[in-house]
Amino acid sequence: MRFSLASARPASAIDWRQADRETLSAWNELRDDRMYSCVRTLLGVVVLALLVLLPVAEAQQTSSERALEDISEIETRLEAINSRLAELASDFESSEEPDELGEHFTEISGLRDSLSTLEAQAIDIRLGSQEALDSVADLIPGETEEGVADAAGSAANGGFGDSSQTAAARLAESDLSGVTAPFREINSRASIAAANARLADIDARRLMENISQSRESVFVSSILERGASPVSPDVWMEAIERTDDVWRELGAEITGWRERQIERGTPYPLTILVGLSLVLFSGLFWLYRLFYKWELRKNTEVRPSRQTVAYVAMGSFLARFATAGAVVLIIAGGAYLLGMNLLESSAGRRVAFVTVAVLCMRALVSSVMAPRTTAFRLIGVGDQAAKAISLSFVVLVIAFAIESILTATGALASPGQALIGVRTFLLSVLTGSLLIWLAVRMRAQTEKGKSTLRIVIRWVVVAVAVTIMLSSLLSYHAFARYIVERLILVSIVLLIAILVREYFRAAALKFLSGVVEERRYQSAREDDDDEPTEMTSEFWIRLSVDTIVVLLLPPFLLLALGLPATELWNEIRWLLAGFEVGGQRISLGSILSAIMTVIAIMVATRLIQRTLERQILPKSQISSGAANSLVTLLGYAGVIIAFVSAIGVIGFDLSSLAIIAGALSVGIGFGLQSIVSNFVAGLILLFERPFKIGDWIVTPSGEGTVQKINVRATEVLTFDRRSIIVPNAELVSNSFGNWTHKSAVMRVAVNVGVKYGTDTRKVEKAMLEVAENIQYVLKDPPPYVVMKGFGDSSLDFELRAYIIADNVVIAPSEIRHELASVFEREDITIPFPQRDIHFDWPDAPRAMQGENADEDDDDASKERPSRRNRARAADEKDETE
């Protein structure tokens, strides 16, 4: 029911009592409606709360059950891992084969990863249950202050485990023991599971250490095992006989393959395969030659940039690698179309892989060494050394390729000790001879004198060569072969590192800073030590690329030296995990992450700066000075963000650096005051912008154009091409002049004088004509002529003209040239300085003048005999002739 005052009738027409009763009844009905609405709303809220809280309670019950299930699964997996570790330990005691030990090592490494995962899961479950127990334990009243202190002390001494046990014990003795029983069970079982996982990991680590020691002992004993002596004639005879057997086995293998192909319906398979291979490989080498000539035609620079050299080297390597793979696939595809499936057998696949590998290695060494083009060589060695390195590397790769192919065909399945000894001895002699030849070709003398580094490298190469040949001669064939194999693999890794480093360094410089870096050396005989050392953005880009290469190179070198990949990964994982110092964990992973973070932020900052400088700011209405200030401040902000982010990634608490910051502030107050003042002054100059890059300023230290505003000082280039480094504090505290502060327009004045009697208006007109005809003089503001006064020898005029500041030297010179030409044409004379000198001779000076005349007569009489003597001497000379 609704109550409306508008429906009420006037008081004169109704009964007042009846009206009161109706009003009271209406208000009662309204109150009942409101109470019913409140009750209905309250019931809705209660129902909604029940609907929300019931799933939460059910989820709580479900979460505890799920945690118990997870703990059960963790315990089951731990039992399986422990049983497997026990089996591996028993197998290890009876195993001595390196391959089997390697398989055990790899499997244990995987089990350790699983144990780490299980331990982390158990710890997470324990932390969750402990959080629930702690939240309930805080609600238990009645504990005395001594009990609280004892619990706090035990927690401080015993750590997290004691505090959890204390909370669990308190809850077990309280009235809430039944409610918290599942969580206490979860906490206990999770703690036990985490401890068991850690103990199992310790056992696995010890087993891995034992396997590593066993593998090392087996490896050392195998490479130090002596074989057949190559100096024994019987060994050579037996090796020759075995070689005949190898050739017979190889011939039988080829004959068997030929007969199988003929049975499949392919006539003359060998002829077809050899002919197809010869044609395609001849075409491949012809393409290589064309590509080489195209490189020379396209890059005809005598001193190409490093970007050009790096791009050509990488492009050459990739192109040759791609064409080699394409040729091998074409041969296999063509043979397949003719009915010969070359890749169905392991020998065929090995031959294809080895062929591509040999061509790839040849392309790699040719791209890096460039034996025929000195200007495109990536390292600073001579032409003869580059050719020797390329030839030696290719010969050794081909030798191992042939041996790999023979092994794949089964011809070297059981070579015998004599053949192994002779074969290794010949390979060692070949390798040692090539290395000694390389050392001879590598000259220590450079254009700057003897290079100590090259001398050391030469002696190291000679030592390696002698070691290889001497080891094989003493019958340590496995050791000699190991050195040769690792030498080739290390060479491959270093060549790839050089190529990748040069390419990414050139690309980073070009992409991030737009710098085209000059070649380090004109000839390959120069040392590679002419790197610019200025700490510019280019320096930091080069340093970042070199740092990444240096950090990534050691793992690949260790793999090339024979370290198993599983052991290497374990060592890397240990380094990444780090160690704790004073409660702070320091790890190589966090350090590398911090370095990568700094590099990424600096690269992003540089990209933003470059985008602003080249694309956004030039199209805006911002002046060049404001644009330079904005870009510089953005660089400062990037450095600060990179530094703070690196500290956060490493894990240092910034609040712990308060003491260091305080000590640093004291040091700044005493020793670094001038540096900080210059830095602050630099910020003031960037914000206030009293000058900008390119302005012509006059300072107490000199005048010139502003080249760069740095953190500490401003670089000014004088007109004599001399750089002046002016501290920023000097520019802020002292006054200086700026010719181009508001505008690049400046005024020059050329003075000239004409002789008296010249028409002054004619002179003025001629000078204005000269100013209007000079291209460097601006039309607005217009030039004008001022007659400055009447001089001692001339009528003095001054031509005042406005020019751009860059033409401050050449414009006055051109004006004077034109003035001389126009004045000569208009017959306007520029007078010489004129002086009228008047002498007034009194009597005394005249008398003195007479005496001086008498003295002159006497001198003349004295000179006459000398004149007669000279005439007599001349006559005697004529008579003699």
Side-chain angles (χ1 to χ4, degrees):
M1 177 180 180
R2 295 183 179 180
F3 177 75
S4 175
L5 294 178
S7 63
R9 290 174 294 178
S12 60
I14 62 173
D15 188 359
W16 289 103
R17 293 182 178 179
Q18 183 68 25
D20 291 340
R21 285 195 297 270
E22 292 179 356
T23 302
L24 182 61
S25 177
W27 280 109
N28 289 332
E29 292 179 0
L30 179 62
R31 184 184 61 186
D32 294 339
D33 290 341
R34 289 180 177 178
M35 291 179 63
Y36 176 74
S37 178
C38 291
V39 171
R40 185 173 56 186
T41 303
L42 182 61
L43 289 176
V45 171
V46 172
V47 172
L48 180 62
L50 290 175
L51 291 176
V52 172
L53 294 177
L54 285 176
V56 171
E58 184 178 358
Q60 184 72 17
Q61 181 70 19
T62 306
S63 64
S64 61
E65 294 177 355
R66 187 183 300 112
L68 289 173
E69 293 176 357
D70 293 339
I71 288 295
S72 300
E73 183 180 357
I74 291 173
E75 292 173 348
T76 303
R77 293 180 62 184
L78 283 174
E79 292 178 1
I81 292 175
N82 285 325
S83 62
R84 183 55 186 164
L85 287 175
E87 294 176 1
L88 292 174
S90 61
D91 293 341
F92 164 69
E93 295 177 356
S94 60
S95 175
E96 294 182 357
E97 294 294 331
D99 296 336
E100 189 175 355
L101 291 176
E103 293 176 358
H104 291 346
F105 192 93
T106 303
E107 186 176 358
I108 295 173
S109 178
L111 293 177
R112 287 193 64 191
D113 293 337
S114 301
L115 288 172
S116 300
T117 303
L118 294 177
E119 183 182 359
Q121 293 176 358
I123 291 175
D124 291 338
I125 295 173
R126 187 187 66 179
L127 290 176
S129 62
Q130 181 62 35
E131 183 178 358
L133 292 175
D134 290 340
S135 62
V136 177
D138 293 338
L139 302 177
I140 300 176
E143 198 171 59
T144 60
E145 295 182 358
E146 295 180 357
V148 173
D150 294 339
S154 63
N157 296 327
F160 180 77
D162 292 341
S163 62
S164 63
Q165 293 176 2
T166 303
R170 290 169 56 196
L171 290 171
E173 298 174 357
S174 66
D175 296 336
L176 299 176
S177 59
V179 178
T180 59
F183 294 99
R184 287 186 283 110
E185 181 182 0
I186 292 171
N187 189 0
S188 176
R189 292 176 62 181
S191 301
I192 295 173
N196 290 333
R198 186 166 299 180
L199 292 174
D201 182 71
I202 294 174
D203 294 337
R205 187 172 66 249
R206 290 176 180 174
L207 184 57
M208 290 180 67
E209 292 176 355
N210 294 332
I211 292 176
S212 298
Q213 293 176 0
S214 178
R215 292 176 65 182
E216 291 175 359
S217 61
V218 170
F219 170 74
V220 171
S221 61
S222 63
I223 65 171
L224 295 182
E225 183 180 358
R226 301 187 66 176
S229 176
V231 296
S232 175
D234 297 335
V235 172
W236 283 89
M237 294 300 296
E238 184 181 353
I240 292 173
E241 294 176 359
R242 187 59 192 133
T243 303
D244 294 337
D245 297 338
V246 168
W247 285 115
R248 281 195 298 269
E249 293 176 4
L250 181 61
E253 184 72 21
I254 295 174
T255 302
W257 177 83
R258 175 177 170 276
E259 292 176 353
R260 288 194 300 271
Q261 301 303 323
I262 292 175
E263 291 176 357
R264 293 179 181 179
T266 304
Y268 307 106
L270 283 178
T271 304
I272 294 174
L273 182 59
V274 172
L276 183 61
S277 301
L278 287 176
V279 170
L280 290 178
F281 280 111
S282 299
L284 177 63
F285 289 111
W286 179 71
L287 285 177
Y288 284 171
R289 187 173 183 83
L290 286 182
F291 182 74
Y292 170 72
K293 292 181 178 179
W294 175 78
E295 283 181 346
L296 293 182
R297 285 197 305 269
K298 184 179 179 181
N299 305 285
T300 56
E301 306 174 43
V302 178
R303 186 184 174 97
S305 64
R306 289 187 67 169
Q307 278 85 354
T308 302
V309 174
Y311 294 156
V312 169
M314 182 62 75
S316 174
F317 170 69
L318 295 178
R320 295 181 182 184
F321 174 70
T323 52
V327 166
V328 173
L329 290 178
I330 291 173
I331 293 175
Y336 182 78
L337 293 177
L338 296 175
M340 297 180 292
N341 190 359
L342 300 179
L343 301 180
E344 65 178 350
S345 63
S346 60
R349 291 191 295 270
R350 177 67 65 86
V351 170
F353 174 76
V354 168
T355 303
V356 175
V358 170
L359 294 175
C360 179
M361 293 302 102
R362 181 180 179 275
L364 176 62
V365 72
S366 299
S367 300
V368 175
M369 292 299 168
R372 293 183 291 178
T373 51
T374 304
F376 290 91
R377 194 165 299 149
L378 294 182
I379 58 177
V381 296
D383 296 337
Q384 296 181 354
K387 294 178 181 178
I389 293 174
S390 302
L391 181 59
S392 304
F393 183 76
V394 172
V395 168
L396 291 177
V397 169
I398 292 175
F400 275 94
I402 294 174
E403 183 181 6
S404 177
I405 293 174
L406 292 176
T407 303
T409 57
L412 293 178
S414 56
Q417 292 295 325
L419 183 57
I420 291 176
V422 172
R423 184 184 63 186
T424 306
F425 177 73
L426 294 177
L427 179 63
S428 302
V429 172
L430 175 63
T431 305
S433 302
L434 290 174
L435 291 177
I436 293 175
W437 177 56
L438 173 60
V440 173
R441 291 282 184 170
M442 185 181 293
R443 297 179 179 178
Q445 187 70 26
T446 63
E447 295 181 358
K448 298 180 180 179
K450 284 190 176 182
S451 174
T452 305
L453 178 61
R454 292 192 181 184
I455 294 174
V456 173
I457 292 176
R458 289 181 65 185
W459 282 109
V460 170
V461 170
V462 171
V464 172
V466 173
T467 302
I468 292 173
M469 292 188 292
L470 189 60
S471 300
S472 181
L473 186 63
L474 296 177
S475 303
Y476 293 102
H477 303 299
F479 181 66
R481 184 180 179 83
Y482 172 80
I483 296 177
V484 176
E485 290 178 352
R486 301 310 159 188
L487 180 64
I488 295 176
L489 294 177
V490 169
S491 301
I492 293 173
V493 171
L494 292 179
L495 289 174
I496 295 175
I498 292 172
L499 181 61
V500 171
R501 180 239 187 189
E502 291 294 330
Y503 177 78
F504 281 102
R505 187 172 178 175
L509 285 172
K510 183 67 176 179
F511 181 68
L512 297 179
S513 61
V515 174
V516 179
E517 196 173 14
E518 294 183 357
R519 195 74 179 109
R520 288 170 295 176
Y521 37 80
Q522 292 182 354
S523 67
R525 293 184 300 273
E526 295 183 6
D527 279 338
D528 188 14
D529 56 357
D530 296 334
E531 296 278 346
T533 57
E534 294 82 1
M535 302 183 83
T536 59
S537 59
E538 291 79 18
F539 169 81
W540 290 111
I541 292 172
R542 287 190 294 267
L543 181 61
S544 300
V545 175
D546 293 344
T547 302
I548 294 174
V549 172
V550 169
L551 291 177
L552 296 179
L553 185 58
F556 294 99
L557 288 177
L558 292 175
L559 290 175
L561 292 174
L563 183 67
T566 53
E567 294 188 14
L568 177 63
W569 170 243
N570 287 326
E571 297 297 332
I572 293 176
R573 186 172 60 181
W574 179 81
L575 290 174
L576 294 177
F579 52 91
E580 291 187 1
V581 177
Q584 180 65 44
R585 177 167 290 275
I586 300 175
S587 64
L588 181 61
S590 60
I591 294 175
L592 293 178
S593 300
I595 293 175
M596 297 303 297
T597 301
V598 171
I599 293 175
I601 294 176
M602 296 302 297
V603 168
T605 304
R606 184 56 186 165
L607 289 176
I608 296 174
Q609 287 179 306
R610 187 178 178 186
T611 303
L612 290 174
E613 288 177 342
R614 299 189 176 185
Q615 299 181 8
I616 299 178
L617 294 178
K619 298 178 182 179
S620 64
Q621 302 297 325
I622 301 177
S623 62
S624 60
N628 178 72
S629 300
L630 178 61
V631 172
T632 304
L633 291 175
L634 182 61
Y636 294 160
V639 172
I640 295 174
I641 294 174
F643 176 74
V644 175
S645 302
I647 293 178
V649 169
I650 292 176
F652 284 112
D653 188 6
L654 296 179
S655 61
S656 62
L657 301 177
I659 299 177
I660 300 177
L664 184 61
S665 62
V666 174
I668 290 174
F670 288 97
L672 304 178
Q673 183 177 2
S674 61
I675 297 177
V676 175
S677 64
N678 286 322
F679 175 75
V680 175
L683 296 178
I684 293 173
L685 293 176
L686 290 175
F687 280 106
E688 187 179 353
R689 293 188 293 110
F691 56 83
K692 58 184 179 298
I693 303 297
D695 279 1
W696 178 5
I697 64 174
V698 181
T699 67
S701 302
E703 65 175 312
T705 57
V706 178
Q707 298 296 310
K708 193 173 184 181
I709 304 174
N710 294 318
V711 177
R712 189 193 67 84
T714 298
E715 181 182 349
V716 178
L717 183 65
T718 66
F719 300 108
D720 296 332
R721 312 302 298 175
R722 180 170 61 95
S723 295
I724 300 177
I725 308 301
V726 184
N728 292 328
E730 178 181 335
L731 296 173
V732 172
S733 59
N734 298 329
S735 61
F736 63 91
N738 189 347
W739 284 96
T740 56
H741 179 47
K742 297 296 184 181
S743 173
V745 178
M746 63 179 300
R747 193 189 75 176
V748 294
V750 178
N751 297 313
V752 66
V754 300
K755 73 175 182 178
Y756 279 93
T758 307
D759 187 357
T760 56
R761 295 299 178 184
K762 180 180 178 181
V763 174
E764 180 182 9
K765 182 179 179 181
M767 296 180 70
L768 288 175
E769 179 184 353
V770 168
E772 292 173 356
N773 293 332
I774 299 297
Q775 62 176 346
Y776 302 109
V777 176
L778 301 178
K779 306 302 180 184
D780 184 25
Y784 60 93
V785 178
V786 176
M787 184 177 178
K788 298 186 67 175
F790 300 94
D792 295 337
S793 304
S794 61
L795 301 174
D796 298 331
F797 291 84
E798 184 178 81
L799 174 61
R800 298 177 179 176
Y802 293 90
I803 63 171
I804 301 298
D806 294 339
N807 304 321
V808 67
V809 176
I810 192 172
S813 176
E814 291 295 326
I815 292 174
R816 293 187 181 94
H817 282 296
E818 290 296 324
L819 283 177
S821 177
V822 170
F823 280 8
E824 183 178 0
R825 186 188 64 198
E826 298 294 336
D827 196 18
I828 299 175
T829 305
I830 300 177
F832 293 104
Q834 298 177 8
R835 295 290 185 271
D836 292 336
I837 301 175
H838 300 276
F839 293 99
D840 187 10
W841 294 99
D843 294 339
R846 289 177 181 174
M848 294 175 61
Q849 185 179 6
E851 294 178 359
N852 291 335
D854 295 338
E855 293 178 358
D856 292 339
D857 293 339
D858 294 338
D859 293 337
S861 62
K862 293 178 180 178
E863 289 178 358
R864 291 191 189 100
S866 61
R867 291 177 182 176
R868 287 196 295 268
N869 293 333
R870 285 197 297 270
R872 189 181 301 111
D875 293 338
E876 291 176 356
K877 182 178 180 181
D878 292 339
E879 291 176 358
T880 304
E881 294 177 354

